[in-house]
Amino acid sequence: MTRDIDAAEPEAVTCTGLAYFFGETKAVDGLDLSVHRGEVFGLLGPNGAGKTTAIRCITTLLPVPAGMVRVFGSDAAKDRMGVRRLLGYVPQQLSADAGLTGRENVTLFARVFDVSRRERAERVGQALAAVDLTDAADRLAKTYSGGMIRRLELAQALVSAPRLLILDEPTIGLDPIARTGVWEHINAVRAATGMTVLVTTHYMDEADQYCDRVGLMHRGRVRALGTPTELRQGLGERRRAEGAPASAPLPTLEDVFRDVAGSGLDDKSGDFRDVRSTRRTANRVG
Amino acid sequence: MSEAPAVLPTASAERVEGIDLLLRPPRPRAGWRLLPARVGAMCTVELQKLRHDRTEVYTRAIQPALWLLIFGQTFTRIRAIPTGGIPYIDYMAPGIIAQSAMFIAIFYGIQIIWERDAGILNKLLVTPTPRSALITGKAFAAGVKSLIQALVVVVIAALLGVALTWNPLKLLGVLGTVVLGSVFFSCLSMTIAGIVISRDRLMGIGQAITMPLFFGSNALYPISVMPGWLQAVSKVNPLSYEVDALRGLLIGAHAHVALDFAVLLVAALLGITAASSLLGRLAR
Ligand SMILES: Nc1ncnc2c1ncn2[C@@H]1O[C@H](COP(=O)(O)OP(=O)(O)O)[C@@H](O)[C@H]1O
Ligand SMILES: [Mg+2]
């Protein structure tokens, strides 16, 4: 991928040595990451990899106990308000307020981002139109389908013209058609506004299709980083060098992940504590 | 903060049209205007919700109506409680108004844990809203909701023949009293929410404290007839001051309205401070 690197313009997100522990659980354990301006960056990993915790540090929901997080150069630990003004955030749960209409849900976010009364209605209208919810805007959100709620949340995030859109598992629990719909809207909005998108998912196929670059996260750390094609070709070449036939199909992102997760497991060979915490995670994730 | 436009469009997607405003970040409000703006936003949301679903207002009117109808009318007849010459139902009406407003406010703090579990709170915490402004906004939203409930009970009391004031200034005072009281009680439950974290535990504690707060106040009987220990409880119970003010304003009973207001104001400020400082725990 070619890209103009301008040293004066900071990256959209940089994490260096970010760590966050819940008691014994090392949810994020030395995360290094940079998201370039204008790209769709996918943070990938299975349940419990630490994606949500990392996102919550970047969004200022959690403190940054160790390491450094910067959003467009602003320090997430020191300049929280400054960072929040740059962000649109869609959390993992479906989080629209069911007792309000779609329009009221979006208007609330316009108000808490200080959109002036003069342009509020029009801005809200544009955000709803951008996600194709104009017709459903005056219905209560509790009548929406899962895919519609996700799009509504996208409108809530867009109404403040964020420079960085952060989506945590935007397609989790949606049917395949709704998933495609959500991705198409993310892409259309990104194309039209040029905003940077940081998205987490555990669906490797979606990341392969929709992300410019991905980071494979396992046990609190990014274990591999690159464009999906780079990662897949890299593994393919290594396998051929190890004697796989040249006719073998290109490995999928899932193969790449299994490859790095395997080595990740090796270098931290499981003592009992690891086994226990993995089991606890499995219980919590369900 | 500079107001540079967002990154210029790199491509024009034919699906997304008319998005010029979505390219321009709004100008941040000046510091002192932020708090009233957030309070306004949260109160508007509360009114919108009530407009869409009024059932809660009606179902929650049943209990106070029964208190006034059964307890009020019976005790008016048997004259067991010294009220200084006021019919008992008139005496207890402000107590019941305060009680139903308090129930709403305490339940509101439970709602914030529900909003946390649903991700709504997290999303609000990622907006340029300081925690104290978020709590103040929520507390006043609870005040608005309580006020509507109080209005319903006032109407019920008037229908039952309670002699209420219609002096607009005094009614304004009633409004202020109910809102301040609800700010305190909602912050009390949001503070407990920040300590116990889980919804079930908060539900239990909420239920466990509402009745003692109610009976340990002057809502149903004057402080002077209480045993000494209950008098002590009643004197530190903000509900007593809320009831005292309402009694003075609504039915013209002897009251210390200025003192009541001062106590409620201090309690509300303390509540906001405590709840704001614990809000971070809820976000984890
Ligand atoms: N609030 C919490 N309290 C304790 N442990 C947590 C909490 N949130 C997450 N964890 C643990 O941290 C690890 C990473 O979780 P998370 O960041 O949610 O991963 P992901 O989003 O990749 O599924 C998991 O082991 C999870 O159980
Ligand atoms: Mg997650």
Side-chain angles (χ1 to χ4, degrees):
Chain A
M1 214 175 97
T2 56
R3 206 173 55 85
D4 298 327
I5 296 169
D6 185 343
E9 295 204 336
E11 298 272 29
V13 181
T14 35
C15 299
T16 25
L18 174 65
Y20 196 99
F21 300 167
F22 293 100
E24 275 187 13
T25 312
K26 298 181 173 180
V28 177
D29 188 12
L31 178 74
D32 295 310
L33 184 69
S34 51
V35 176
H36 306 323
R37 288 163 173 251
E39 73 178 351
V40 177
F41 185 92
L43 194 56
L44 270 59
N47 286 327
K51 306 181 297 294
T52 296
T53 308
I55 292 293
R56 282 165 22 112
C57 290
I58 297 170
T59 55
T60 76
L61 275 170
L62 290 176
V64 180
M68 166 78 91
V69 175
R70 286 184 179 277
V71 178
F72 291 100
S74 298
D75 190 325
K78 299 200 182 96
D79 182 16
R80 290 173 171 228
M81 288 292 246
V83 167
R84 289 179 199 161
R85 286 199 185 274
L86 301 170
L87 296 183
Y89 171 51
V90 178
Q92 190 167 336
Q93 310 101 302
L94 292 177
S95 65
D97 199 321
L100 297 174
T101 65
R103 192 183 304 281
E104 287 163 350
N105 265 296
V106 179
T107 305
L108 171 63
F109 277 78
R111 288 185 71 160
V112 296
F113 272 96
D114 299 325
V115 172
S116 68
R117 185 193 297 266
R118 196 163 32 82
E119 65 177 40
R120 201 179 289 151
E122 199 184 343
R123 197 184 265 262
V124 169
Q126 290 190 357
L128 285 162
V131 297
D132 281 337
L133 281 179
T134 305
D135 293 337
D138 295 308
R139 266 165 47 197
L140 288 183
K142 70 175 130 203
T143 67
Y144 284 17
S145 68
M148 288 167 83
I149 290 189
R150 264 301 183 239
R151 273 149 52 202
L152 175 59
E153 295 187 79
L154 199 53
Q156 287 180 297
L158 292 176
V159 78
S160 58
R163 294 177 69 187
L164 171 63
L165 183 61
I166 297 186
L167 306 132
D168 195 358
E169 306 262 9
T171 53
I172 197 168
L174 299 183
D175 64 65
I177 292 174
R179 279 163 60 176
T180 310
V182 167
W183 273 111
E184 277 174 0
H185 282 95
I186 294 172
N187 267 343
V189 162
R190 198 271 297 237
T193 64
M195 68 178 66
T196 310
V197 180
L198 168 57
V199 56
T200 77
T201 180
H202 65 272
Y203 299 120
M204 305 284 168
D205 52 332
E206 287 186 355
D208 196 0
Q209 191 175 348
Y210 297 107
C211 294
D212 298 327
R213 273 191 332 134
V214 295
L216 303 191
M217 194 168 175
H218 180 60
R219 294 197 171 179
R221 215 175 284 182
V222 168
R223 311 280 170 171
L225 190 71
T227 68
T229 319
E230 274 166 18
L231 292 176
R232 294 169 57 192
Q233 280 175 350
L235 180 63
E237 276 160 26
R238 233 185 54 220
R239 286 201 172 154
R240 270 197 298 280
E242 284 163 7
S247 60
L250 195 63
T252 62
L253 262 190
E254 196 144 353
D255 296 329
V256 177
F257 187 82
R258 231 177 260 124
D259 183 60
V260 295
S263 67
L265 288 171
D266 289 342
D267 73 39
K268 251 183 95 177
S269 59
D271 60 339
F272 279 113
R273 184 178 302 154
D274 268 355
V275 175
R276 251 201 346 258
S277 81
T278 314
R279 199 172 295 144
R280 231 181 297 129
T281 306
N283 287 340
R284 201 173 291 123
V285 170
Chain B
M1 232 183 79
S2 70
E3 233 204 307
V7 187
L8 288 173
T10 52
S12 60
E14 76 277 27
R15 293 199 49 179
V16 183
E17 271 164 23
I19 57 153
D20 54 307
L21 290 174
L22 303 187
L23 299 174
R24 213 154 18 90
R27 182 203 305 269
R29 262 198 191 80
W32 63 272
R33 287 176 55 204
L34 204 122
L35 183 67
R38 297 298 183 272
V39 170
M42 309 277 173
C43 291
T44 305
V45 161
E46 212 47 53
L47 289 171
Q48 287 168 336
K49 282 193 199 172
L50 282 173
R51 203 159 44 88
H52 295 309
D53 185 3
R54 299 195 184 89
T55 48
E56 196 186 345
V57 177
Y58 298 139
T59 52
R60 281 183 181 265
I62 295 172
Q63 218 187 46
L66 290 178
W67 274 100
L68 288 171
L69 202 64
I70 298 170
F71 203 83
Q73 294 199 329
T74 308
F75 276 71
T76 301
R77 201 168 296 172
I78 59 180
R79 295 173 201 278
I81 295 168
T83 58
I86 302 166
Y88 182 71
I89 192 168
D90 290 20
Y91 179 85
M92 82 178 294
I96 297 301
I97 291 168
Q99 177 228 37
S100 46
M102 176 185 78
F103 280 11
I104 295 273
I106 287 189
F107 189 78
Y108 203 85
I110 295 171
Q111 186 177 320
I112 207 164
I113 291 212
W114 180 84
E115 289 188 359
R116 191 271 315 261
D117 294 344
I120 297 173
L121 181 67
N122 278 346
K123 235 160 56 174
L124 283 173
L125 283 167
V126 184
T127 66
T129 305
R131 298 201 163 153
S132 55
L134 184 58
I135 289 288
T136 310
K138 287 284 180 191
F140 274 86
V144 165
K145 198 170 174 187
S146 302
L147 197 60
I148 304 241
Q149 193 67 47
L151 277 177
V152 173
V153 184
V154 165
V155 170
I156 295 173
L159 290 176
L160 290 175
V162 174
L164 300 166
T165 184
W166 296 112
N167 175 336
L169 269 182
K170 288 190 174 173
L171 288 178
L172 209 62
V174 168
L175 191 147
T177 309
V178 170
V179 170
L180 276 183
S182 301
V183 167
F184 169 74
F185 287 113
S186 60
C187 285
L188 177 68
S189 76
M190 288 190 277
T191 303
I192 300 172
I195 295 169
V196 303
I197 305 292
S198 100
R199 193 179 354 167
D200 295 340
R201 262 179 285 170
L202 181 60
M203 213 57 148
I205 294 178
Q207 263 149 14
I209 63 171
T210 45
M211 279 303 159
L213 280 169
F214 177 45
F215 289 117
S217 80
N218 56 357
L220 296 177
Y221 27 72
I223 294 184
S224 58
V225 305
M226 297 177 187
W229 65 270
L230 195 55
Q231 289 197 8
V233 170
S234 186
K235 281 192 178 135
V236 295
N237 181 352
L239 188 63
S240 293
Y241 297 87
E242 184 175 348
V243 172
D244 190 65
L246 291 181
R247 220 166 249 155
L249 293 164
L250 268 178
I251 62 165
H254 173 69
H256 316 83
V257 177
L259 171 72
D260 298 333
F261 256 93
V263 170
L264 289 175
L265 195 63
V266 171
L269 287 174
L270 285 178
I272 288 172
T273 312
S276 312
S277 61
L278 288 171
L279 184 60
R281 276 171 55 88
L282 276 185
R284 288 189 195 174

